[in-house]
Amino acid sequence: MHGDPKYPAGFENFDYVSPDAPKGGLLRRGARGTFDSFNPWIDKGSAVSPGSIETLLVSSADEAFTKYCLICERLEYPVDRTWIIFHLRPQAKWHDGKPITADDVVWSFNTLMEKGAPSYRFYYADVERVEVTGEHAVRFQFKNTGNRELPLIIGDLPILPKHYWQGHDQERDITKTTLSPPLGSGPYRIKRFDAGRYYELERVVDYWGKDLPVNRGINNFDLLRFDFFRDRIPIRLALKAGEIDFYAENTAKSWATEFDIPAVESGWLVREQVRHSAPQGMQAYVMNLRRSKFENRKIRQAISLAFDFNWTNQKIFYNQYTRSKSYFSNSELASSGIPEGDELALLENYRVSLPPELFSQPFEVSETDGSGWSRQNLLKALSLIRETDWEIKDGKLVDQQRQPLSIEMLLYSSSFERLILPYVSNLKRLGIDMKVRVVDTGQYINRIRSFDFDMIVGGWGQSETPGNEQREYWSCAAAARPSSRNTAGICHPVIEAFIEKIVVASTRQELITVTRALDRVLLWQHFIVPNWHLPADRILWWNKYNRPRIPLRNGVNISRWWLDDERSARLAQARDSGAITQRNSSRGDTAARSGSGPSGWKLGLLAVILVIGGLAIKRAMKSERTMKSKTG
């Protein structure tokens, strides 16, 4: 994106993999929900990836934003990046043995733009045309100059086999859901499945790209299995029972309380928190600005002030989380303090359209003492309400037409209810009536796609190099388009201007400056109620795997793991002997050797103390009875 790539032409493998990692074995994972399709390129059904579709380029995991050739073998583009030509690898082929052609690339782009999910048309809107320019060459011509990201994200385009999809057979209609695993070209393909319950991906032994530098040391398992569960509770039980091998925990309470078991204590089930430096984006309670009740910025701020994060963090999260104060948390892109320097100069051009406090105050999220009684925040919220046309009548916040402010919080998981209910109580003190409604996954997805909600728990992931996806997140066009990522319905002229400046930023420093300014404007508009983040991955895995020791800036990447035969054999032996379910018995009775378990002499001493104590109590009781008889 900016500067030079880390890896030179002819590099052998990425530094963060073990190029000689053994192949083989099984990795089982749990997934929440269900699936009814292997077509992830349309906004229909609950689809899963068939695991076999490749792209022109792939990213490295130890750079901010650099891509290397996968299906292509080289590429060319001018300084202004107004076009790019991909030269395909002649050896690239589909699983049926036919070559991947330039015509496949053109057909994939045109088909996805015409018939795929709306996000494709939005993401690649600046592509003017795509054409075959040689036997193995494809040229993408762009409408505008200076969009440094567009040539890179063209490399993310899924390349589909034209000869497989083209035709009138309903089973091959790309606009429909399908449970016929589509033809692909990647390292895995569907082996077997039971719709809604599980599916398995098998490693393609004769995969054409297995020896490419970008693929060495990854895709090491022979079989990947995904079992589906209604929610996370049975997934955790399946993990403890050894029915799945790897699990990423995202619930603080469960992480703190549900894994005090012998398998974890003895190290057979590894429980670890892997820190990373990946941008955390923003998770939040998202207000739907398409609803008139959220038009007033001060009302939105009052709604935000009612959320007592400190109490939630102490009482529910075991103080594991940090409150999010940026849409780009945990990165150099996050705004802080009062704007100054180049950022201030940029914002000055839009001063009349921005809140005056943006220039004079650092943005702060509401803080409390964690006691559960956020009096000062609620008083501030009431003060803001008094500055609007809303007023409190008979304990209810009403508008000028005497319509009360009622909010429906839409959820698809009941586990979030315990987090929302204290917030509901605080809102009630402001006269705001919030109802929590939990619906099934399918209904939830459809309502989100059509923006049929008041508030949701939503969020926006971010990369170290934001670009065209910001249009999908915040632009007016995305706000008006169903199924977009602009769930909040944000449409603001300053935000529109900053999005375009991000897209054409020519240097890293310019990108940082504009992104911080965008972050600051988003925050001061109070479109959302910021939630929390944790700059780490919390994972549990049965101790039969291994991985490179080099940490990744973006956290855990299980594609570089492999099955360790020696560990696997020890684990199997421990299971057969029942050692896994016995505390401190695995691996040579670790707890006893460390002095944390009760040894024989300690138990004997305890027994003596109890006997002596019992005799003393009997003597005291006898003495008391004697005393009472003597005193009448």
Side-chain angles (χ1 to χ4, degrees):
M1 180 71 168
H2 300 108
D4 297 322
K6 172 182 177 179
Y7 297 95
F11 76 99
E12 295 186 357
N13 56 264
F14 292 133
D15 291 342
Y16 51 84
V17 303
S18 294
D20 298 323
K23 305 291 185 182
L26 164 69
L27 178 70
R28 300 167 301 173
R29 303 182 65 174
R32 186 176 63 176
T34 186
F35 72 96
D36 58 12
S37 175
F38 292 122
N39 183 356
W41 309 293
I42 58 174
D43 276 348
K44 294 180 181 178
S46 299
V48 293
S49 171
S52 58
I53 304 303
E54 294 187 296
T55 53
L56 294 164
L57 303 173
V58 292
S59 295
S60 60
D62 55 353
E63 298 173 85
F65 192 23
T66 304
K67 288 183 176 289
Y68 298 85
C69 273
L70 178 57
I71 290 179
C72 67
E73 64 178 355
R74 61 186 176 90
L75 49 85
E76 53 183 301
Y77 55 90
V79 174
D80 64 3
R81 304 196 183 194
T82 53
W83 51 265
I84 187 169
I85 297 177
F86 295 92
H87 297 271
L88 309 187
R89 299 183 191 271
Q91 72 269 32
K93 64 180 181 179
W94 303 105
H95 290 157
D96 63 1
K98 295 184 178 181
I100 300 176
T101 66
D103 197 32
D104 286 325
V105 177
V106 174
W107 183 86
S108 297
F109 179 82
N110 291 334
T111 299
L112 291 174
M113 290 291 281
E114 178 186 352
K115 301 177 179 180
S119 58
Y120 289 110
R121 293 185 283 280
F122 203 79
Y123 209 47
Y124 298 124
D126 281 348
V127 177
E128 185 174 70
R129 65 180 181 276
V130 55
E131 57 190 351
V132 175
T133 58
E135 183 180 3
H136 300 291
V138 183
R139 175 185 172 116
F140 288 82
Q141 181 69 46
F142 306 136
K143 297 176 183 177
N144 304 303
T145 63
N147 188 334
R148 298 184 64 83
E149 186 188 44
L150 190 52
L152 286 91
I153 63 174
I154 285 294
D156 293 331
L157 178 75
I159 306 303
L160 308 174
K162 178 181 177 180
H163 69 280
Y164 173 86
W165 287 100
Q166 199 172 40
H168 303 289
D169 184 351
Q170 186 174 356
E171 284 294 312
R172 303 289 172 82
D173 186 347
I174 202 168
T175 66
K176 299 181 182 297
T177 60
T178 179
L179 282 170
S180 295
L183 179 68
S185 63
Y188 289 95
R189 61 187 165 203
I190 301 290
K191 180 180 182 181
R192 57 174 171 259
F193 67 92
D194 185 348
R197 297 185 63 189
Y198 78 89
Y199 72 99
E200 293 179 349
L201 298 174
E202 63 176 350
R203 187 165 60 86
V204 179
V205 179
D206 61 346
Y207 166 49
W208 71 269
K210 62 183 178 180
D211 295 322
L212 295 178
V214 296
N215 283 332
R216 290 196 184 109
I218 64 172
N219 304 318
N220 300 315
F221 297 106
D222 280 346
L223 191 66
L224 302 174
R225 180 181 171 102
F226 299 85
D227 285 287
F228 285 75
F229 301 85
R230 181 178 177 84
D231 54 46
R232 289 186 174 271
I233 295 174
I235 297 179
R236 297 184 190 105
L237 293 174
L239 174 76
K240 296 174 185 178
E243 297 298 322
I244 61 175
D245 302 311
F246 177 94
Y247 173 62
E249 179 58 74
N250 71 347
T251 303
K253 179 182 178 182
S254 298
W255 181 256
T257 64
E258 292 193 26
F259 298 105
D260 181 18
I261 58 177
V264 171
E265 180 185 326
S266 58
W268 293 116
L269 179 60
V270 181
R271 175 181 178 271
E272 63 176 327
Q273 187 164 288
V274 182
R275 294 193 67 85
H276 57 71
S277 56
Q280 293 300 285
M282 174 66 81
Q283 177 183 293
Y285 300 143
V286 180
M287 291 173 253
N288 187 355
L289 303 179
R290 302 170 187 85
R291 304 287 170 92
S292 59
K293 65 184 75 175
F294 300 120
E295 285 180 353
N296 192 295
R297 185 173 72 94
K298 292 182 178 179
I299 291 296
R300 298 197 299 267
Q301 186 177 358
I303 291 173
S304 182
L305 283 166
F307 176 53
D308 190 346
F309 166 75
N310 299 82
W311 182 90
T312 302
N313 199 31
Q314 289 182 28
K315 306 301 183 184
I316 299 180
F317 292 153
Y318 297 83
N319 283 321
Q320 294 183 43
Y321 290 114
T322 298
R323 184 81 187 272
S324 296
K325 301 179 182 179
S326 168
Y327 284 78
F328 302 87
S329 298
N330 198 44
S331 79
E332 63 180 349
L333 302 168
S335 61
S336 62
I338 297 173
E340 55 186 24
D342 292 340
E343 185 188 351
L344 176 60
L346 175 62
L347 289 164
E348 283 287 0
N349 297 322
Y350 305 92
R351 181 182 279 268
V352 295
S353 301
L354 298 173
E357 55 266 38
L358 180 149
F359 294 89
S360 59
Q361 302 174 25
F363 179 84
E364 297 291 346
V365 292
S366 57
E367 296 287 344
T368 69
D369 60 6
S371 66
W373 174 232
S374 52
R375 177 180 174 83
Q376 295 303 317
N377 282 349
L378 294 177
L379 288 174
K380 184 177 179 181
L382 287 171
S383 178
L384 288 167
I385 290 171
R386 293 189 185 102
E387 297 174 18
T388 71
D389 293 332
W390 293 75
E391 58 182 333
I392 297 179
K393 291 289 186 181
D394 300 324
K396 296 184 180 297
L397 184 62
V398 297
D399 60 16
Q400 289 183 307
Q401 286 72 44
R402 293 296 186 264
Q403 294 299 312
L405 178 51
S406 60
I407 301 171
E408 180 185 83
M409 176 68 80
L410 185 67
L411 304 174
Y412 69 91
S413 172
S414 57
S415 63
F416 235 96
E417 282 187 278
R418 66 192 181 97
L419 308 179
I420 301 290
L421 293 180
Y423 183 37
V424 170
S425 178
N426 279 346
L427 286 171
K428 188 174 183 180
R429 291 169 175 161
L430 298 177
I432 301 172
D433 179 35
M434 175 181 278
K435 304 293 185 185
V436 179
R437 184 175 183 186
V438 182
V439 297
D440 62 68
T441 305
Q443 182 180 352
Y444 182 85
I445 291 173
N446 289 330
R447 289 188 62 175
I448 297 302
R449 287 172 177 170
S450 60
F451 306 128
D452 181 19
F453 62 88
D454 289 339
M455 289 181 70
I456 58 170
V457 180
W460 300 270
Q462 296 289 357
S463 72
E464 294 179 273
T465 311
N468 290 266
E469 78 285 346
Q470 304 303 307
R471 292 171 174 164
E472 178 76 356
Y473 292 170
W474 327 117
S475 72
C476 296
R481 179 171 51 78
S483 298
S484 82
R485 293 294 307 279
N486 190 349
T487 49
I490 295 170
C491 181
H492 192 284
V494 179
I495 293 174
E496 290 276 297
F498 286 173
I499 291 172
E500 298 312 309
K501 290 181 182 296
I502 285 174
V503 169
V504 300
S506 59
T507 66
R508 178 69 183 173
Q509 189 54 51
E510 182 183 353
L511 179 70
I512 292 172
T513 297
V514 181
T515 304
R516 288 176 179 175
L518 170 66
D519 184 37
R520 202 178 297 274
V521 174
L522 287 167
L523 291 169
W524 278 103
Q525 290 297 327
H526 300 287
F527 294 132
I528 50 94
V529 183
N531 282 181
W532 48 85
H533 68 274
L534 175 71
D537 293 323
R538 295 176 297 208
I539 60 173
L540 297 107
W541 48 281
W542 285 99
N543 198 355
K544 56 181 176 178
Y545 302 106
N546 213 330
R547 70 176 189 259
R549 294 299 94 190
I550 299 175
L552 294 178
R553 54 203 287 151
N554 289 327
V556 175
N557 181 353
I558 204 167
S559 70
R560 63 182 189 145
W561 291 35
W562 65 89
L563 181 70
D564 187 309
D565 290 337
E566 184 179 344
R567 291 186 180 186
S568 181
R570 290 203 305 265
L571 178 63
Q573 184 179 9
R575 280 182 171 149
D576 291 342
S577 66
I580 288 178
T581 59
Q582 301 172 12
R583 288 193 182 274
N584 308 320
S585 60
S586 298
R587 296 187 172 183
D589 200 356
T590 304
R593 287 188 285 108
S594 65
S596 60
S599 59
W601 72 266
K602 291 180 180 178
L603 291 173
L605 178 60
L606 179 61
V608 172
I609 292 173
L610 290 174
V611 170
I612 295 174
L615 292 174
I617 291 172
K618 286 183 178 180
R619 285 197 297 269
M621 293 176 65
K622 181 178 180 180
S623 176
E624 183 179 1
R625 287 196 298 269
T626 303
M627 183 68 69
K628 286 182 178 180
S629 65
K630 288 182 176 179
T631 59

